[in-house]
Amino acid sequence: MNTAIASSPDRQPTDWSADAMQRRIRARYRAEKRFRFYGLFAVLLSAGFLAFLLVTMISSGARGFTQTQIALPVNFPASDIFLEPSQLDGDDRDQLLAQTDFQGLARQSAIAAYGEDGPAFLSNGAWVLLRDAVSEDPSLLTRNETLWVPASTEVDFAARGDSGMRQSEERDTMSTRYAELEAADQVRRTLSWNFLTLADSSDPTLVGIWGALKGSLLTMTITLLLAFPIGVLTAVYLEEYAPENRWTDIIEVSINNLAAVPSIIFGLLGLAVFINVFYLPRSAAIVGGLTLALMTMPVIVIAGRNAIKSVPPSIRDAALGIGASPVQVLTHHVLPLSLPGILTGTIIGMSRALGETAPLLLIGMRAFVATPPGGFTDPATVLPVQIFLWSDELDPGFVEKTSAAIIVLLLFLLAMNGIAIWLRNKYEQRW
Amino acid sequence: MNNVGDMMNDATDTQAESRADAPALAQDTLKMTARNVDVYYGDKQAIDNVSIDIGMENVTAFIGPSGCGKSTFLRCLNRMNDTIPIARVTGQIELDEKDIYDPAMDVVQLRARVGMVFQKPNPFPKSIFENVAYGPRIHGLATSKSELDEIVEKSLIRAGLFEEVKDRLHDSGTALSGGQQQRLCIARAIAVDPEVILMDEPCSALDPIATAKIEELINDLRGKYAIVIVTHNMQQAARVSQRTAFFHLGTLVEYGETSDLFTNPSQDRTKDYITGRYG
Ligand SMILES: Nc1ncnc2c1ncn2[C@@H]1O[C@H](COP(=O)(O)OP(=O)(O)OP(=O)(O)O)[C@@H](O)[C@H]1O
Ligand SMILES: [Mg+2]
């Protein structure tokens, strides 16, 4: 047959060196080069966006991790507080400390050190530091000691040479005062762990992200614990056991649609079901976790089904052929081989859940929570909601705190994805 | 064997046309029997009324043109067709006189007793050791680590692979060459110590040397297992098998002693096929 075609009179032998051929070859090389360039361009563009985001966030947020502090000389023995170190040995120590007017002490000391407007240099919560210092070291009460306490937002802004939203004349006085303070070494700017250990507050010099971070951790724990096993088991059932009938089709279509439902709808659902029907506490990590699990599960189901589907049938045949039971085939071969795909879906779903704000607002996680949650049922907020709340604050001191919170959120995301990618690579196998 | 041959000849003499329908193995050497087996894929019939006997210490070869249903029928013998949702099997297949399609039959155990080597090598994406150890492990055939090591080593030796891989038992099984992979699959199948081994064109991807090794292996295994081998290679069927079945378009055309079938086929279709006139 082949010889018949080759030798047929109306078909010339192909001339591979003809001009048209050469042009075609050159065009092919050009097309390949162009295509590679487009790909490279896309990669550089997205890397550029990412770098831009990181640089802006870090440059404006890095300051959020620091604190402007002011030196406050406190003369404990000469003050109005009549506490003896020995009194603090007893069981009623906390009560005694609570009854003592540290607020007044801070005020007095500020006036003594910086004059009439001295108290305006201190953060509203500076007295808490005095109390904590005394609690830690009762011998302070017998001494005259200079403590470093957080400065007020105004001082902080003067330190930055930034007007914030204050009126200009107020700013001018503050910056001259600040220059004096600085010359006398009475202010300093230090890295402070406070931002990472405190919770929300109405005073921007005293806010911390730990409350929201812990809220996010608790919420994500619930989400992962529910969405991962339920999602994987659903995927396994639909792929391996479900009979092919109308019901299976309906379930499949529903799950696919669920993955596309706007997240705020899940918030309404969570409100209606978990809070109004099951009477779970409002604003709690458990309700947030349940709501986000509803949202994450379909993503894991879809990714899981695709991963399970892509396990080569020859592997199943091999295992069945030496007498593995269907469950053994599943747990020994199919699931380990599809784990990378399942984990990829989980990363996508969990990242989306971590950044979710809208549904959590509806279930009350936008409440002002000044103490980090102790457990799953305590009032809590989460990182994105905290960012949303702070970005809404009038006080300009919250601006850098908002950026700092965004940095923390991004780091959380990176850590979460890093763990998942590490797990995925660990289980990645070729066939 | 003589006995078998005699019976075979008797059948041929009296009923030449339906030689295939005349099972001619003595009762005590029978391992598996199939009676009036039909297989359908959906509406399409792939196997039409096949009856066959598989001898106990004997190699049976299935030959026939591509698409005639050899693999389909082979997969009936350990119920691997169960995994194809549209496949439907009717008729009766017995292993040691027990109906394997009986609801009381445990399919998992059946597949451990009737092992299978597939047309395409399909090692697990695990180490060589794990590939072979998997079967014994899930069936609890070894009580200690050393016993397991021994089973793995023995199986690899019998499959003629041990010398090549003994230094890298913990390397991936998928990194072996095609022929080595196929021998690994054979080692994996014999590690669970089956009674019957079904081989679907085990040499189709192998070079002559690897093929010779596997044929040698089949010869060695013959005394211990009942072996069924599907092959497109007439010489191979003639070399390794004692009995040969010729399939065509889903029917069993002729079944008999290999020497008879190749030297003196009773059907024209068989003759045409083995002399290479079609297929
Ligand atoms: N899973 C399946 N679904 C539908 N039809 C199938 C399926 N497997 C096989 N068939 C059909 O059944 C018939 C027999 O196929 P089978 O694989 O048994 O042939 P074979 O003799 O093994 O061929 P080969 O020598 O090429 O391997 C063919 O017509 C094939 O198209
Ligand atoms: Mg086949």
Side-chain angles (χ1 to χ4, degrees), chain B residues 197-269:
Chain B
I197 301 181
L198 311 174
M199 298 185 175
D200 195 350
E201 298 184 45
C203 305
S204 61
L206 305 190
D207 69 70
I209 296 170
T211 303
K213 272 193 182 147
I214 287 185
E215 287 179 11
E216 208 176 296
L217 163 72
I218 292 171
N219 256 324
D220 289 347
L221 297 177
R222 173 153 58 97
K224 194 152 182 273
Y225 311 104
I227 296 173
V228 183
I229 176 171
V230 173
T231 177
H232 278 288
N233 182 329
M234 298 308 129
Q235 286 78 32
Q236 183 172 61
R239 278 193 302 266
V240 300
S241 73
Q242 282 70 56
R243 297 168 67 79
T244 300
F246 171 59
F247 286 79
H248 187 227
L249 297 175
T251 58
L252 178 61
V253 176
E254 185 164 351
Y255 179 40
E257 294 277 324
T258 300
S259 48
D260 284 354
L261 192 130
F262 279 101
T263 53
N264 185 20
S266 67
Q267 303 280 315
D268 287 343
R269 283 192 285 175

Coordinates of all heavy atoms in Angstrom, one line a residue, chain B residues 197-269:
Chain B
I197 N -2.3 -19.2 38.0 CA -1.8 -17.9 37.6 C -2.3 -17.6 36.2 O -2.1 -18.5 35.3 CB -0.2 -17.9 37.6 CG1 0.3 -18.2 39.0 CG2 0.3 -16.5 37.2 CD1 1.8 -18.2 39.1
L198 N -2.9 -16.5 36.1 CA -3.4 -16.1 34.7 C -2.4 -15.0 34.2 O -2.2 -14.0 34.9 CB -4.8 -15.5 34.9 CG -5.8 -16.3 35.7 CD1 -7.1 -15.5 35.8 CD2 -6.1 -17.6 35.0
M199 N -1.9 -15.3 33.0 CA -1.0 -14.3 32.5 C -1.5 -13.8 31.1 O -1.7 -14.6 30.2 CB 0.4 -14.9 32.2 CG 1.1 -15.4 33.5 SD 2.7 -16.0 33.1 CE 3.3 -16.4 34.7
D200 N -1.7 -12.5 31.1 CA -2.3 -11.9 29.9 C -1.2 -11.3 29.0 O -0.7 -10.2 29.4 CB -3.3 -10.8 30.2 CG -4.2 -10.4 29.0 OD1 -3.8 -10.8 27.9 OD2 -5.2 -9.7 29.2
E201 N -0.7 -12.0 28.0 CA 0.4 -11.5 27.2 C 1.5 -11.0 28.0 O 1.9 -9.8 27.9 CB -0.1 -10.5 26.2 CG -1.2 -11.0 25.3 CD -1.6 -9.9 24.2 OE1 -0.7 -9.3 23.7 OE2 -2.8 -9.8 24.0
P202 N 2.1 -11.8 28.8 CA 3.2 -11.3 29.7 C 4.4 -10.8 29.0 O 5.2 -10.1 29.5 CB 3.5 -12.4 30.7 CG 3.1 -13.6 29.9 CD 1.9 -13.2 29.0
C203 N 4.6 -11.3 27.7 CA 5.8 -10.9 27.0 C 5.6 -9.9 25.9 O 6.5 -9.7 25.1 CB 6.4 -12.2 26.5 SG 6.7 -13.5 27.7
S204 N 4.4 -9.3 25.9 CA 4.2 -8.5 24.7 C 5.1 -7.3 24.6 O 5.3 -6.7 23.6 CB 2.7 -8.0 24.7 OG 2.5 -7.3 25.8
A205 N 5.7 -6.9 25.8 CA 6.5 -5.7 25.7 C 8.0 -6.0 25.9 O 8.8 -5.2 26.2 CB 6.1 -4.7 26.8
L206 N 8.3 -7.3 25.8 CA 9.7 -7.7 26.1 C 10.5 -8.1 24.9 O 10.0 -8.5 23.9 CB 9.6 -8.9 27.1 CG 8.7 -8.7 28.3 CD1 8.9 -9.9 29.3 CD2 9.1 -7.4 29.0
D207 N 11.8 -8.0 25.1 CA 12.8 -8.4 24.1 C 12.9 -9.9 24.2 O 12.5 -10.6 25.1 CB 14.1 -7.7 24.3 CG 14.8 -8.2 25.5 OD1 15.3 -9.3 25.5 OD2 14.9 -7.4 26.5
P208 N 13.6 -10.5 23.2 CA 13.7 -12.0 23.1 C 14.3 -12.6 24.4 O 14.0 -13.6 24.8 CB 14.5 -12.3 21.9 CG 14.3 -11.1 21.0 CD 14.1 -9.9 21.9
I209 N 15.3 -11.9 24.9 CA 16.0 -12.5 26.1 C 15.1 -12.5 27.3 O 15.0 -13.5 28.0 CB 17.3 -11.6 26.4 CG1 18.3 -11.8 25.2 CG2 18.0 -12.1 27.7 CD1 19.4 -10.9 25.2
A210 N 14.4 -11.3 27.6 CA 13.5 -11.3 28.7 C 12.4 -12.3 28.5 O 11.9 -13.0 29.4 CB 13.0 -9.9 28.8
T211 N 11.9 -12.4 27.2 CA 10.9 -13.4 26.9 C 11.3 -14.8 27.2 O 10.6 -15.6 27.9 CB 10.5 -13.3 25.4 OG1 10.1 -11.9 25.1 CG2 9.4 -14.2 25.1
A212 N 12.6 -15.1 26.8 CA 13.1 -16.4 27.1 C 13.1 -16.7 28.6 O 12.8 -17.8 29.1 CB 14.5 -16.6 26.5
K213 N 13.5 -15.6 29.4 CA 13.5 -15.8 30.8 C 12.2 -16.1 31.4 O 12.0 -17.0 32.3 CB 14.0 -14.5 31.5 CG 15.5 -14.4 31.6 CD 15.9 -13.3 32.5 CE 17.5 -13.2 32.5 NZ 17.9 -11.8 32.7
I214 N 11.2 -15.4 30.8 CA 9.8 -15.6 31.4 C 9.3 -17.0 31.0 O 8.6 -17.7 31.7 CB 8.9 -14.5 30.9 CG1 9.3 -13.2 31.8 CG2 7.4 -14.8 31.2 CD1 8.5 -12.0 31.6
E215 N 9.6 -17.4 29.8 CA 9.2 -18.7 29.4 C 9.8 -19.8 30.2 O 9.2 -20.8 30.6 CB 9.6 -19.0 27.9 CG 8.7 -18.2 26.9 CD 9.0 -18.4 25.5 OE1 9.8 -19.3 25.2 OE2 8.5 -17.6 24.6
E216 N 11.1 -19.6 30.5 CA 11.8 -20.5 31.4 C 11.1 -20.6 32.8 O 10.9 -21.6 33.4 CB 13.2 -19.9 31.6 CG 14.3 -21.0 31.9 CD 15.6 -20.2 32.0 OE1 16.0 -19.7 30.9 OE2 16.2 -20.2 33.0
L217 N 10.7 -19.3 33.2 CA 10.0 -19.2 34.5 C 8.7 -20.0 34.5 O 8.4 -20.7 35.4 CB 9.8 -17.7 34.8 CG 8.8 -17.4 35.8 CD1 9.3 -17.7 37.2 CD2 8.5 -15.9 35.8
I218 N 8.0 -19.8 33.4 CA 6.7 -20.5 33.3 C 6.9 -22.1 33.3 O 6.2 -22.8 34.0 CB 6.0 -20.1 32.0 CG1 5.6 -18.7 32.0 CG2 4.8 -21.0 31.7 CD1 5.0 -18.1 30.7
N219 N 8.0 -22.5 32.7 CA 8.3 -23.9 32.7 C 8.6 -24.4 34.2 O 8.2 -25.4 34.6 CB 9.6 -24.2 31.9 CG 9.2 -24.8 30.6 OD1 8.2 -25.6 30.5 ND2 9.8 -24.5 29.5
D220 N 9.4 -23.5 34.9 CA 9.7 -23.9 36.3 C 8.4 -23.9 37.2 O 8.3 -24.7 38.0 CB 10.6 -22.8 36.9 CG 12.0 -22.9 36.3 OD1 12.3 -24.0 35.6 OD2 12.8 -22.0 36.5
L221 N 7.5 -23.0 36.9 CA 6.3 -22.8 37.7 C 5.3 -23.9 37.5 O 4.4 -24.2 38.3 CB 5.7 -21.5 37.5 CG 6.5 -20.2 37.9 CD1 5.7 -19.0 37.6 CD2 6.8 -20.2 39.4
R222 N 5.5 -24.5 36.3 CA 4.4 -25.5 35.8 C 4.1 -26.6 36.9 O 3.0 -26.9 37.1 CB 4.9 -26.1 34.5 CG 4.0 -27.2 34.0 CD 4.1 -27.2 32.5 NE 5.5 -27.5 32.1 CZ 6.0 -28.7 31.8 NH1 5.2 -29.7 31.9 NH2 7.2 -28.8 31.5
G223 N 5.1 -27.1 37.5 CA 4.9 -28.2 38.4 C 4.0 -27.8 39.6 O 3.4 -28.6 40.2
K224 N 4.0 -26.5 39.9 CA 3.4 -26.1 41.1 C 2.1 -25.4 40.9 O 1.2 -25.5 41.8 CB 4.4 -25.1 41.8 CG 4.0 -24.8 43.2 CD 5.3 -24.4 44.0 CE 5.0 -24.1 45.5 NZ 4.5 -22.8 45.8
Y225 N 1.9 -24.7 39.9 CA 0.7 -23.9 39.6 C 0.0 -24.4 38.3 O 0.7 -24.9 37.4 CB 1.0 -22.4 39.5 CG 1.8 -21.9 40.6 CD1 3.2 -21.6 40.4 CD2 1.3 -21.6 41.9 CE1 3.9 -21.0 41.4 CE2 2.1 -21.1 42.9 CZ 3.4 -20.8 42.7 OH 4.2 -20.3 43.7
A226 N -1.3 -24.1 38.3 CA -2.0 -24.2 37.0 C -1.8 -22.8 36.3 O -2.0 -21.8 37.0 CB -3.4 -24.5 37.2
I227 N -1.3 -22.8 35.1 CA -1.0 -21.5 34.5 C -1.8 -21.4 33.2 O -1.9 -22.3 32.4 CB 0.5 -21.5 34.1 CG1 1.3 -21.5 35.4 CG2 0.8 -20.2 33.3 CD1 2.8 -21.6 35.2
V228 N -2.4 -20.2 33.0 CA -3.1 -19.9 31.8 C -2.4 -18.7 31.2 O -2.2 -17.7 31.9 CB -4.6 -19.6 32.0 CG1 -5.2 -19.3 30.7 CG2 -5.3 -20.7 32.8
I229 N -2.0 -18.8 29.9 CA -1.2 -17.7 29.3 C -1.9 -17.3 28.0 O -2.2 -18.2 27.2 CB 0.3 -18.1 29.1 CG1 1.0 -16.9 28.4 CG2 0.4 -19.4 28.4 CD1 2.5 -17.1 28.4
V230 N -2.1 -16.0 27.9 CA -2.6 -15.5 26.6 C -1.4 -15.0 25.8 O -0.5 -14.4 26.3 CB -3.6 -14.3 26.8 CG1 -3.9 -13.6 25.5 CG2 -4.8 -14.7 27.6
T231 N -1.4 -15.4 24.5 CA -0.2 -15.0 23.7 C -0.6 -14.8 22.3 O -1.5 -15.5 21.8 CB 1.0 -16.0 23.9 OG1 2.0 -15.6 23.0 CG2 0.6 -17.4 23.5
H232 N 0.1 -13.9 21.6 CA -0.1 -13.7 20.2 C 1.0 -14.5 19.4 O 1.1 -14.4 18.2 CB 0.0 -12.2 19.8 CG -1.3 -11.6 20.1 ND1 -2.4 -11.7 19.3 CD2 -1.7 -10.7 21.0 CE1 -3.4 -11.0 19.7 NE2 -3.0 -10.4 20.8
N233 N 1.9 -15.1 20.2 CA 3.1 -15.6 19.6 C 2.9 -17.2 19.5 O 2.9 -17.9 20.5 CB 4.3 -15.3 20.5 CG 5.6 -15.8 19.9 OD1 5.6 -16.8 19.2 ND2 6.7 -15.1 20.1
M234 N 2.7 -17.7 18.3 CA 2.4 -19.1 18.1 C 3.5 -20.0 18.6 O 3.3 -21.0 19.3 CB 2.3 -19.5 16.6 CG 1.1 -18.8 15.9 SD -0.4 -19.0 16.8 CE -0.9 -17.4 16.8
Q235 N 4.8 -19.5 18.3 CA 5.9 -20.3 18.8 C 5.9 -20.4 20.3 O 6.2 -21.4 20.9 CB 7.3 -19.7 18.3 CG 7.5 -19.9 16.8 CD 6.7 -18.9 16.0 OE1 6.4 -17.8 16.4 NE2 6.3 -19.4 14.8
Q236 N 5.6 -19.3 20.9 CA 5.6 -19.3 22.4 C 4.6 -20.2 22.9 O 4.8 -21.0 23.8 CB 5.3 -17.9 22.9 CG 5.3 -17.8 24.4 CD 5.2 -16.3 24.9 OE1 4.2 -15.7 24.6 NE2 6.3 -15.9 25.6
A237 N 3.4 -20.2 22.3 CA 2.3 -21.1 22.8 C 2.8 -22.5 22.6 O 2.6 -23.4 23.5 CB 1.0 -20.9 21.9
A238 N 3.4 -22.8 21.5 CA 3.9 -24.2 21.2 C 5.0 -24.5 22.2 O 5.1 -25.7 22.6 CB 4.4 -24.3 19.8
R239 N 5.9 -23.6 22.5 CA 7.0 -23.9 23.4 C 6.5 -24.1 24.9 O 7.0 -25.1 25.5 CB 8.0 -22.7 23.4 CG 9.0 -22.8 22.3 CD 10.1 -21.8 22.5 NE 9.7 -20.4 22.8 CZ 9.6 -19.5 21.8 NH1 9.9 -19.8 20.6 NH2 9.2 -18.3 22.1
V240 N 5.7 -23.3 25.4 CA 5.4 -23.3 26.8 C 4.2 -24.1 27.2 O 4.1 -24.5 28.4 CB 5.4 -21.9 27.5 CG1 6.6 -21.2 27.3 CG2 4.1 -21.2 27.0
S241 N 3.2 -24.3 26.3 CA 2.0 -24.8 26.8 C 1.8 -26.3 26.5 O 2.4 -26.8 25.6 CB 0.8 -24.1 26.2 OG 0.7 -24.4 24.8
Q242 N 1.0 -27.0 27.3 CA 0.6 -28.3 27.0 C -0.7 -28.4 26.3 O -1.0 -29.3 25.5 CB 0.5 -29.1 28.3 CG 1.9 -29.5 28.9 CD 2.6 -28.3 29.4 OE1 2.1 -27.6 30.3 NE2 3.8 -28.1 28.9
R243 N -1.6 -27.4 26.6 CA -2.9 -27.4 25.9 C -3.1 -26.0 25.4 O -2.6 -25.0 25.9 CB -4.0 -27.8 26.9 CG -3.8 -29.2 27.4 CD -4.8 -29.5 28.5 NE -6.2 -29.4 28.1 CZ -6.8 -30.5 27.6 NH1 -6.1 -31.6 27.3 NH2 -8.1 -30.4 27.2
T244 N -3.8 -25.9 24.2 CA -4.0 -24.6 23.6 C -5.5 -24.5 23.2 O -6.1 -25.4 22.8 CB -3.1 -24.5 22.3 OG1 -1.8 -24.6 22.7 CG2 -3.4 -23.1 21.6
A245 N -6.0 -23.2 23.5 CA -7.4 -22.9 23.1 C -7.3 -21.8 22.0 O -6.6 -20.8 22.2 CB -8.2 -22.5 24.3
F246 N -8.0 -22.0 20.9 CA -8.1 -21.0 19.9 C -9.4 -20.3 19.9 O -10.5 -20.9 19.8 CB -7.8 -21.6 18.5 CG -8.0 -20.7 17.4 CD1 -7.3 -19.5 17.3 CD2 -9.0 -21.0 16.4 CE1 -7.5 -18.6 16.3 CE2 -9.2 -20.1 15.4 CZ -8.5 -18.9 15.3
F247 N -9.4 -19.0 20.2 CA -10.6 -18.2 20.2 C -10.7 -17.4 18.9 O -9.8 -17.0 18.3 CB -10.5 -17.2 21.4 CG -10.7 -17.8 22.7 CD1 -9.7 -18.4 23.4 CD2 -11.9 -17.6 23.4 CE1 -9.8 -18.9 24.6 CE2 -12.1 -18.2 24.7 CZ -11.0 -18.8 25.3
H248 N -12.0 -17.3 18.5 CA -12.2 -16.4 17.3 C -13.6 -15.8 17.5 O -14.6 -16.5 17.7 CB -12.2 -17.2 16.0 CG -12.2 -16.4 14.8 ND1 -13.0 -16.7 13.8 CD2 -11.6 -15.2 14.5 CE1 -12.9 -15.8 12.8 NE2 -12.1 -14.9 13.3
L249 N -13.7 -14.5 17.4 CA -14.9 -13.7 17.5 C -15.8 -14.1 18.7 O -17.0 -14.3 18.6 CB -15.7 -13.9 16.2 CG -15.1 -13.4 14.9 CD1 -16.0 -13.7 13.7 CD2 -14.8 -11.9 15.0
G250 N -15.1 -14.3 19.8 CA -15.8 -14.6 21.0 C -16.2 -16.0 21.2 O -16.8 -16.4 22.3
T251 N -15.9 -16.9 20.3 CA -16.2 -18.3 20.5 C -14.9 -19.1 20.6 O -13.8 -18.7 20.1 CB -17.0 -18.9 19.3 OG1 -16.2 -18.7 18.1 CG2 -18.3 -18.2 19.2
L252 N -15.0 -20.2 21.3 CA -13.9 -21.1 21.4 C -13.9 -22.0 20.2 O -14.9 -22.8 20.1 CB -13.9 -21.9 22.7 CG -12.8 -22.9 22.9 CD1 -11.5 -22.2 23.0 CD2 -13.1 -23.7 24.2
V253 N -13.0 -21.9 19.3 CA -13.1 -22.7 18.0 C -12.5 -24.1 18.3 O -13.1 -25.1 17.9 CB -12.3 -22.0 16.9 CG1 -12.3 -22.8 15.6 CG2 -13.0 -20.6 16.7
E254 N -11.4 -24.1 18.9 CA -10.8 -25.4 19.1 C -9.9 -25.4 20.3 O -9.3 -24.4 20.7 CB -9.9 -25.7 17.8 CG -9.3 -27.1 17.8 CD -8.7 -27.4 16.5 OE1 -9.0 -26.7 15.5 OE2 -8.1 -28.5 16.4
Y255 N -9.9 -26.6 21.0 CA -9.2 -26.7 22.3 C -8.6 -28.1 22.3 O -9.4 -29.0 22.2 CB -10.1 -26.4 23.4 CG -9.4 -26.5 24.8 CD1 -8.1 -26.0 25.0 CD2 -10.1 -27.1 25.9 CE1 -7.5 -26.1 26.3 CE2 -9.5 -27.1 27.1 CZ -8.2 -26.6 27.3 OH -7.6 -26.7 28.5
G256 N -7.3 -28.2 22.5 CA -6.8 -29.5 22.6 C -5.3 -29.5 23.0 O -4.8 -28.5 23.3
E257 N -4.7 -30.7 22.9 CA -3.3 -30.8 23.2 C -2.5 -29.9 22.2 O -2.8 -29.8 21.0 CB -2.8 -32.2 22.9 CG -3.4 -33.3 23.8 CD -2.6 -33.4 25.1 OE1 -1.3 -33.2 25.0 OE2 -3.2 -33.6 26.1
T258 N -1.6 -29.1 22.8 CA -0.9 -28.2 21.9 C -0.3 -28.8 20.7 O -0.4 -28.3 19.6 CB 0.2 -27.5 22.8 OG1 -0.4 -26.9 23.9 CG2 1.0 -26.5 22.0
S259 N 0.4 -30.0 20.9 CA 1.0 -30.6 19.8 C 0.0 -30.9 18.7 O 0.3 -30.7 17.5 CB 1.8 -31.8 20.3 OG 0.9 -32.6 21.1
D260 N -1.2 -31.4 19.1 CA -2.2 -31.8 18.1 C -2.6 -30.5 17.4 O -2.7 -30.5 16.2 CB -3.4 -32.4 18.8 CG -3.2 -33.8 19.2 OD1 -2.1 -34.3 18.8 OD2 -4.0 -34.4 19.9
L261 N -3.0 -29.5 18.2 CA -3.6 -28.3 17.6 C -2.7 -27.7 16.6 O -3.1 -27.2 15.6 CB -3.9 -27.4 18.7 CG -4.8 -26.2 18.3 CD1 -6.0 -26.1 19.2 CD2 -4.1 -24.9 18.2
F262 N -1.4 -27.7 16.9 CA -0.5 -27.0 15.9 C -0.1 -27.9 14.7 O 0.1 -27.4 13.7 CB 0.8 -26.5 16.6 CG 0.6 -25.2 17.4 CD1 0.4 -25.2 18.7 CD2 0.6 -24.0 16.7 CE1 0.2 -24.0 19.4 CE2 0.3 -22.9 17.3 CZ 0.2 -22.8 18.7
T263 N -0.1 -29.2 14.9 CA 0.3 -30.0 13.8 C -0.9 -30.5 13.0 O -0.8 -30.7 11.8 CB 1.1 -31.3 14.3 OG1 0.3 -31.9 15.3 CG2 2.4 -30.9 14.9
N264 N -2.0 -30.6 13.7 CA -3.1 -31.2 13.0 C -4.4 -30.6 13.4 O -5.3 -31.2 14.0 CB -3.1 -32.7 13.4 CG -4.1 -33.5 12.6 OD1 -4.6 -33.0 11.6 ND2 -4.5 -34.6 13.2
P265 N -4.6 -29.3 13.1 CA -5.8 -28.7 13.6 C -7.0 -29.2 12.9 O -7.0 -29.6 11.7 CB -5.6 -27.2 13.2 CG -4.6 -27.2 12.1 CD -3.7 -28.4 12.4
S266 N -8.1 -29.3 13.6 CA -9.3 -30.0 13.1 C -10.2 -29.0 12.4 O -11.1 -29.3 11.6 CB -10.1 -30.7 14.2 OG -10.6 -29.7 15.0
Q267 N -10.0 -27.7 12.7 CA -10.9 -26.6 12.1 C -10.1 -25.8 11.1 O -8.9 -25.5 11.3 CB -11.3 -25.7 13.2 CG -12.1 -26.3 14.3 CD -13.5 -26.6 14.0 OE1 -14.2 -25.8 13.4 NE2 -14.0 -27.9 14.3
D268 N -10.7 -25.5 10.0 CA -10.1 -24.7 9.0 C -9.6 -23.3 9.6 O -8.6 -22.8 9.2 CB -11.0 -24.4 7.8 CG -11.2 -25.7 7.0 OD1 -10.3 -26.6 7.2 OD2 -12.1 -25.8 6.2
R269 N -10.5 -22.7 10.4 CA -10.2 -21.4 11.0 C -8.9 -21.5 11.8 O -8.1 -20.6 11.7 CB -11.3 -20.9 11.8 CG -12.5 -20.4 11.0 CD -13.5 -19.6 11.9 NE -14.2 -20.5 12.7 CZ -15.1 -20.1 13.6 NH1 -15.3 -18.8 13.9 NH2 -15.8 -21.0 14.4

